[in-house]
Structure formats: structure tokens, C-alpha cells
Amino acid sequence: MTLFSVADPAPPADVRDADFALAERHRPVLMLDQAEPAPPLAMGYSVVREAQKSPSSKFRLTPPDRGAVIEYAIWHDWDIQHLYDLEHVWVHLDRRGDVIRVEGSMHGMRVSIDDGSGLPEMRNGRPVLYVEPGKHALWGVSRIMQSMSGSKIAEMCGREAGAGGIHAGNAFAEAGAWSASVGEHRLARLAMKRAAFVPRFAFVTAEEPVLMPWKTLEAWIPERMKALIAALPGRVPHLAAVFLDCGDTLIDEATEVKKPGSEVVVQAEEIPFAMDAVRTLHGLGYRLALVADGPRETFENMLKPRGIWDLMECHAISGDVGENKPSPKMFSAALAGLGLGDGDRSRIIMVGNNLARDIRGANDFGLISLFVGWSKRRTHVPADASEEPHFRIDRLDQLVSRIEAIELCLPVRENEHV
């Protein structure tokens, strides 16, 4: 699956001068794995003729005597583990203009690239470089790449895809050129997890990325990143919200102590791992709503002291709504409280322990139902098909991973493409 791109802002037009002609003459020929989901889009160049710090990387450049180093900064929107990728190639020219050395970036390092002859394969003055699948480190010989690092590359492109979210350890992000919420980081990880692939280690020549001066690329990258981040919610299938019941879902009803003469709970124990799960979901950027039956005071007593109440954007409580679950009014109240519409129902999970109320209500309303079977106080046997949950867990330490797995498998809707 190809990772999504955006049309605007497009890479700017090239600027043609003597340095452009030199950079064009020696620009790398990039060889991509046939399964590569994120091809290079732009290539910025700098021609360095005196020793100095690299214009676009952390390294220092020292050209040959009366020669030059052409630094190429190669932009991919995505690395398979993070959104943002800038790789580098350095082509060293002697005083006659001949290529005498080629270096490339490799996982934060700067390494010499050759095929055993001192140079990589050359095509009319252009080095031929093999782009590591998913990660885009640069190699001179594909079979050496596969034999030395093939298993690790496959792991990064598969199980470890999406590990980094939106890349923050670059000069642009560190200077505040863009920002990202925890939810946007989650969506970026989702996009990459959905694009996980098995490298083929069979390579084809990449389409030539647009060549431009580094200063032009440098000015373009922040706007590009802002556009990519802004596009995430509309391009990556994701959960719109998580609705949570309380009694025997987060709080152990068997331990409840009620205010004399009322149904208001003043004290109860939490179910093991429940509050940590809610905190983790919030920390991952999921939008949370309480959808629970009982008086408001009960849930304030249970959730506010534990710091959970304010993690929920909306509180749809039967004491306020006037009806208990499975009434659609309860779910409509939560939907409205989050500013969501009917088209979002299929992307909302209802988490609860009561088949007749939580699960049936969620199913009838068109939500994804997740049954929590921790408590044995109520039946675990559905009365009919309307009470059959879509998913089930038995412990609350399973909640986050199950929700993440459900989200990863959501179908692509119209206008979505990751």
C-alpha cells in the first residue's frame, strides 16, 4: 500500500544556473524496491567549494583541493517509521570535475558508498544508489544491503512500521516550524502501520525527483509538513471516539457504598488496570465520552478524584438524559456532545459490561461494540443477535491493545487513501 501524499504545496520549479547544471550532471540515480510505499519527491542541492558545515545536515564538508562537494538532500514525505524523511548524498569532485568519491546517509551516519572499486556504479557521471526499502538509507550494492541488513529492514518495514509517529528530531521541528498533537501522531503511526510491507529486494529506477537549490527545498519543507499533518484526519481511517460505561467496566460495582436513602455511589474500588487504560487512551489522542446509567453525582464521585472525569470530553449520563441505555437518546447525547454526526457512528467503539444495555444499544445505534467480561455479576450469554458484541475482552489491561487493533483494521471510506 502506498503512503498518501498531498498535491499542494507541490515542489517548486527548478532554478537553472551553473550550479544547477553541475548538480544535474551528477545527480544520483535512485533505485527503489518494487514494494516501496514512499518514493522521493524532491532533491535539494548545494555546491560546496570551501570547507564548511553542511548546509542541510549535521556534518562538516571538506572539498578536495580546488574541487567541490555537491550535497544532495533527498526528500521523502514518509519513512516507514515516521512522517518526514530527509536523506543525503555527497558527491566529491576533483579539480577536473571528475567524481572521486560518493557518500550517503545511513541511519544518522555518513558512509562511503562504493561497489568495491572505490565508487558505486556510475551512469554517465551519475552514481547509482540503492535506496533501503522503507527507511531510505543509501547503499552501493543491493545484494550487500540484503545480506547484511535484510532481516532488520524487513522487521522495520513490518512489525516496527510506524514506531516514530511524526518525526520531531530534526532542525525544522526543533525550531517550531510545525507542531503536532498526540492524536496526529497516532494517525501518522496508523498510516505507516497500514502501509507495512515485505521488501522484495528487487529494484527499479525511481522517477526523478524535482531538482532545486537547497534554499528552495528548505523553504518548502515546513509548508509541506503542515499540509501532510493537516491531511491526516481525512486520509487515515481512524476511530472518531471511544464511549465508556462505568459500573463493572471501570468501577467494581460489588464494592459500591451508596449515600443512605439514595442511588448515589460515594465510594467504590476501581477495576484493576481500568484507570490506567483510560489514561493511556487519552494520552494516545482518542476522544473519550462517558456513556453511563445512574445519577451524575455517582460518576463525579467515582471519576473526579481519580483524575478521569476531565479526560472525557463528554458525559452522557442517564440521570441527565432521562433514559437508560439501550435508549438511542444516550448515544445521541454523546455523539452531539463530541460534535460528531451520524456518519461517524461506524467509527465509534462502545465499551461496556452489560449485554442488554451497552452492547445492544451500541449495535442498534450502529456503533462498534466491545464487551468487558471482567465482572460475573451479569450474564455473559447474549439473549439474541442484538446482544452479540463485535469484540470482547476479559481484563482491562487488554483494552488499549484491542482498541488499537480494531482501529488498524477499519475499512477505508470514500475519499480516504493511506
Side-chain angles (χ1 to χ4, degrees):
M1 180 183 292
T2 300
L3 281 155
F4 82 81
S5 190
V6 291
D8 190 52
D14 53 44
V15 177
R16 295 181 179 271
D17 57 16
D19 280 354
F20 176 90
L22 186 64
E24 175 76 8
R25 186 178 313 134
H26 297 295
R27 67 186 295 176
V29 176
L30 301 176
M31 306 298 293
L32 294 184
D33 188 276
Q34 289 180 352
E36 174 61 50
L41 300 178
M43 183 181 290
Y45 66 85
S46 303
V47 179
V48 176
R49 295 181 172 88
E50 296 180 354
Q52 64 173 75
K53 183 189 178 301
S54 156
S56 62
S57 76
K58 65 184 179 182
F59 300 104
R60 185 168 180 80
L61 303 180
T62 303
D65 181 37
R66 286 184 285 173
V69 176
I70 309 173
E71 177 176 81
Y72 297 93
I74 304 167
W75 173 261
H76 303 250
D77 285 342
W78 302 85
D79 172 307
I80 196 61
Q81 293 185 309
H82 48 76
L83 174 54
Y84 173 101
D85 190 28
L86 192 66
E87 302 294 335
H88 286 84
V89 174
W90 295 272
V91 176
H92 297 249
L93 307 177
D94 65 14
R95 68 185 69 180
R96 296 183 302 275
D98 296 330
V99 177
I100 58 172
R101 186 182 181 192
V102 177
E103 299 172 297
S105 55
M106 180 174 287
H107 306 294
M109 301 182 294
R110 175 181 169 190
V111 299
S112 292
I113 302 177
D114 68 75
D115 60 5
S117 67
L119 288 173
E121 176 190 346
M122 302 293 292
R123 293 183 188 173
N124 299 318
R126 300 176 61 186
V128 178
L129 305 180
Y130 292 85
V131 179
E132 188 174 289
K135 294 299 293 178
H136 310 147
L138 296 153
W139 296 73
V141 182
S142 62
R143 67 179 181 276
I144 294 177
M145 176 205 304
Q146 184 174 7
S147 64
M148 290 183 62
S149 300
S151 59
K152 180 58 179 175
I153 293 169
E155 187 175 19
M156 291 187 290
C157 293
R159 184 176 59 85
E160 296 178 358
I166 298 169
H167 194 278
N170 60 80
F172 296 99
E174 290 169 354
W178 60 79
S179 61
S181 68
V182 291
E184 288 164 338
H185 278 284
R186 188 183 94 248
L187 296 187
R189 288 193 296 271
L190 266 175
M192 291 175 277
K193 287 178 181 296
R194 294 177 72 99
F197 69 103
V198 177
R200 299 180 188 175
F201 295 103
F203 293 83
V204 295
T205 304
E207 183 177 337
E208 299 274 31
V210 179
L211 185 65
M212 65 191 75
W214 162 245
K215 288 294 184 184
T216 304
L217 181 60
E218 182 182 34
W220 174 75
I221 287 173
E223 299 309 310
R224 181 70 175 183
M225 283 295 295
K226 291 175 187 176
L228 288 163
I229 293 168
L232 287 167
R235 302 295 294 273
V236 183
H238 65 284
L239 289 170
V242 177
F243 291 176
L244 294 161
D245 178 46
C246 186
D248 279 348
T249 299
L250 303 178
I251 295 294
D252 182 359
E253 289 187 14
T255 65
E256 289 180 348
V257 177
K258 295 183 178 179
K259 184 185 297 185
S262 78
E263 289 300 310
V264 175
V265 179
V266 295
Q267 183 180 333
E269 295 178 8
E270 61 191 63
I271 293 174
F273 309 110
M275 302 307 161
D276 286 342
V278 176
R279 294 184 189 100
T280 299
L281 290 171
H282 179 266
L284 291 170
Y286 289 100
R287 303 186 69 191
L288 306 178
L290 178 69
V291 183
D293 294 334
R296 172 173 285 264
E297 190 177 350
T298 287
F299 305 113
E300 291 180 344
N301 291 340
M302 295 301 97
L303 301 179
K304 282 187 174 181
R306 294 177 166 92
I308 297 299
W309 180 267
D310 289 337
L311 303 185
M312 298 171 171
E313 295 182 46
C314 170
H315 308 89
I317 297 169
S318 66
D320 299 335
V321 174
E323 296 187 21
N324 290 334
K325 294 170 289 185
S327 169
K329 290 184 178 180
M330 286 287 287
F331 302 101
S332 292
L335 204 67
L338 293 176
L340 299 173
D342 288 341
D344 297 308
R345 294 187 188 193
S346 64
R347 299 188 300 124
I348 297 172
I349 293 181
M350 175 65 210
V351 182
N353 73 297
N354 191 313
L355 293 171
R357 293 188 179 189
D358 300 315
I359 303 307
R360 178 181 174 183
N363 290 344
D364 290 348
F365 201 70
L367 310 182
I368 302 167
S369 56
L370 174 56
F371 178 66
V372 178
W374 179 84
S375 172
K376 304 301 187 287
R377 286 165 50 83
R378 295 180 179 85
T379 182
H380 289 200
V381 181
D384 53 42
S386 70
E387 295 184 7
E388 288 281 357
H390 296 113
F391 300 96
R392 172 184 175 137
I393 58 173
D394 294 311
R395 305 188 317 273
L396 272 297
D397 58 347
Q398 300 168 330
L399 180 62
V400 174
S401 60
R402 182 57 57 88
I403 286 176
E404 289 180 322
I406 293 168
E407 185 172 49
L408 184 60
C409 295
L410 287 175
V412 176
R413 302 190 303 170
E414 187 177 355
N415 298 325
E416 285 179 335
H417 176 68
V418 295

